[in-house]
């Protein structure tokens, strides 16, 4: 019982962080991304207005509009069933989202002025941001692969083999929780800073697991709920096959995607900010 109280006190109490670690403030890491978004809505709007339009054009011209999933509209839209086009269009859109994240981060966190040059001019960091997204998505997908492997597996009569298999495959479920402590890497890429060793970041972020889980879980539920609500409402409105409703719905859907991605950018920015402040405090104390 004493050990349980000690654990709860360590996770929820105002205790000081261990030496060599940086403790993320609860309220700022959980709710900070949304307050930052509200405080910098102007920067977001002028950046997202263009990139949401670009995403909509790519989806519609590529035959991958969200309305293509509706059987009543499938015959009246240019929709493609090609798996190669499906994957290709989404990679192009991911590149657009990666470029948006850089511009939004630079406008909000680096205080760069919003201009057409900032929005339209390609940057070398666009590709780095895209690659980082691909890597993190693939690593997070390991948990889905683990779930699939456990679901389709035929149980082995030998309980020892079955237990060993489960123990190894189930390790994939831990990957998303491990990655929670490395999202500051995105902020470093977007700002063009050098990425420190992964082991150093891992040590610095000890004691923040529950805070990061709460923060990203809240964002995940907002992501699913918001996109589901927008998609459902516009699909109903577009039953009359109005191309105008389809265009507007596609744009609004992508605009909401970028709202949610701006929350993610702020989440990454806050992680990097706390780690940076911790490093500066550590250097000050050592001098």
């Amino acid at each position: 019982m004493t050990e349980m109280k000690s654990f709860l006190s360590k996770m929820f109490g105002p205790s000081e962080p261990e030496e060599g670690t940086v403790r993320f403030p609860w309220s700022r890491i959980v709710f900070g991304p949304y307050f930052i978004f509200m405080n910098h809505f102007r920067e977001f709007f002028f950046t997202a207005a263009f990139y949401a339009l670009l995403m909509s054009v790519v989806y519609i011209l590529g035959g991958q509009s969200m309305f293509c999933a509706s059987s009543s509209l499938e015959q009246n839209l240019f929709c493609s069933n090609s798996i190669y086009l499906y994957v290709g269009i989404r990679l192009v859109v991911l590149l657009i989202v990666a470029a948006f994240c850089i511009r939004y981060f630079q406008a909000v966190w680096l205080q760069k002025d919003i201009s057409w040059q900032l929005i339209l001019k390609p940057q070398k960091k666009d590709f780095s941001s895209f690659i980082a997204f691909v890597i993190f998505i693939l690593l997070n997908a390991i948990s889905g692969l683990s779930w699939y492997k456990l679901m389709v597996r035929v149980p082995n009569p030998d309980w020892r083999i079955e237990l060993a298999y489960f123990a190894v495959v189930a390790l994939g479920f831990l990957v998303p929780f491990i990655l929670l402590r490395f999202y500051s890497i995105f902020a470093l890429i977007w700002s063009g800073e050098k990425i420190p060793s992964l082991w150093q970041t891992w040590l610095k972020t000890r004691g923040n697991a529950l805070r990061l889980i709460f923060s990203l879980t809240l964002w995940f539920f907002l992501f699913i709920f918001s996109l589901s609500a927008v998609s459902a409402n516009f699909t109903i409105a577009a039953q009359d096959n109005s191309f105008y409703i389809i265009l507007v719905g596609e744009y609004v859907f992508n605009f909401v995607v970028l709202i949610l991605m701006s929350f993610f950018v702020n989440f990454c920015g806050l992680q990097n900010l706390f780690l940076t402040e911790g490093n500066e405090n550590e250097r000050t104390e050592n001098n």
Side-chain angles (χ1 to χ4, degrees):
M1 187 66 179
T2 304
E3 292 180 357
M4 178 59 70
K5 288 182 178 179
S6 176
F7 171 77
L8 293 176
S9 175
K10 185 177 180 180
M11 296 304 294
F12 294 99
S15 59
E16 292 295 323
E18 298 178 19
E19 184 179 354
T21 65
V22 177
R23 187 65 54 85
F24 299 164
W26 263 99
S27 59
R28 292 180 67 187
I29 196 63
V30 176
F31 302 108
Y34 312 102
F35 288 113
I36 294 172
F37 170 80
M38 290 185 289
N39 291 335
H40 295 274
F41 182 77
R42 175 184 173 276
E43 290 87 340
F44 163 79
F45 180 82
F46 286 107
T47 308
F50 170 77
Y51 282 95
L53 178 61
L54 188 58
M55 291 167 63
S56 302
V57 170
V58 171
Y59 272 131
I60 292 175
L61 294 182
Q64 301 297 321
S65 168
M66 70 171 182
F67 294 100
C68 288
S70 174
S71 58
S72 62
L73 299 173
E74 193 171 1
Q75 301 301 322
N76 299 322
L77 279 173
F78 175 70
C79 297
S80 173
N81 294 322
S82 170
I83 185 64
Y84 301 107
L85 194 57
Y86 178 90
V87 174
I89 290 298
R90 276 155 182 77
L91 287 176
V92 172
V93 170
L94 182 60
L95 178 59
I96 296 172
V97 172
F100 161 79
C101 291
I102 291 176
R103 275 73 177 175
Y104 176 78
F105 182 88
Q106 291 174 341
V108 173
W109 290 87
L110 303 182
Q111 286 82 48
K112 287 193 176 183
D113 294 331
I114 293 293
S115 64
W116 283 114
Q117 182 180 8
L118 176 66
I119 294 174
L120 299 177
K121 185 179 179 180
Q123 300 183 25
K124 292 181 179 179
K125 291 188 284 290
D126 291 340
F127 187 69
S128 301
S129 178
F130 170 74
I131 293 299
F133 271 113
V134 171
I135 291 174
F136 271 77
I137 289 172
L138 291 177
L139 289 175
N140 277 290
I142 292 176
S143 60
L145 179 62
S146 295
W147 177 84
Y148 174 77
K149 286 290 187 181
L150 292 175
M151 289 294 294
V152 301
R153 174 173 169 76
V154 177
N156 192 297
D158 189 334
W159 66 270
R160 290 166 297 185
I161 296 177
E162 189 65 20
L163 183 62
Y165 179 85
F166 178 82
V168 173
V169 174
L171 291 175
F173 293 117
L174 299 177
V175 174
F177 298 100
I178 295 173
L179 292 176
L180 284 174
R181 293 163 64 172
F182 295 100
Y183 282 105
S184 60
I185 291 175
F186 280 103
L188 295 172
I189 292 174
W190 297 330
S191 60
E193 298 179 34
K194 182 180 178 181
I195 299 175
S197 70
L198 298 182
W199 180 243
Q200 181 183 355
T201 303
W202 174 262
L203 294 177
K204 286 281 185 181
T205 54
R206 284 178 299 170
N208 292 294
L210 198 57
R211 293 166 169 81
L212 295 173
I213 291 173
F214 264 80
S215 182
L216 214 58
T217 299
L218 175 61
W219 176 80
F220 179 77
F221 278 114
L222 283 174
F223 193 96
I224 298 299
F225 175 79
S226 301
L227 296 186
S228 298
V230 171
S231 178
N233 287 319
F234 273 100
T235 299
I236 294 173
Q239 292 301 316
D240 59 351
N241 295 339
S242 170
F243 192 67
Y244 170 76
I245 294 295
I246 292 171
L247 289 176
V248 173
E250 189 72 39
Y251 183 81
V252 171
F253 182 87
N254 291 312
F255 194 84
V256 172
V257 169
L258 295 185
I259 290 177
L260 295 164
M261 288 307 301
S262 70
F263 299 155
F264 175 77
V265 171
N266 292 332
F267 170 76
C268 299
L270 282 170
Q271 272 204 43
N272 184 53
L273 175 65
F274 298 145
L275 290 174
T276 301
E277 290 177 343
N279 291 335
E280 290 177 352
N281 293 336
E282 191 175 89
R283 284 194 294 268
T284 302
E285 292 174 358
N286 292 335
N287 289 337

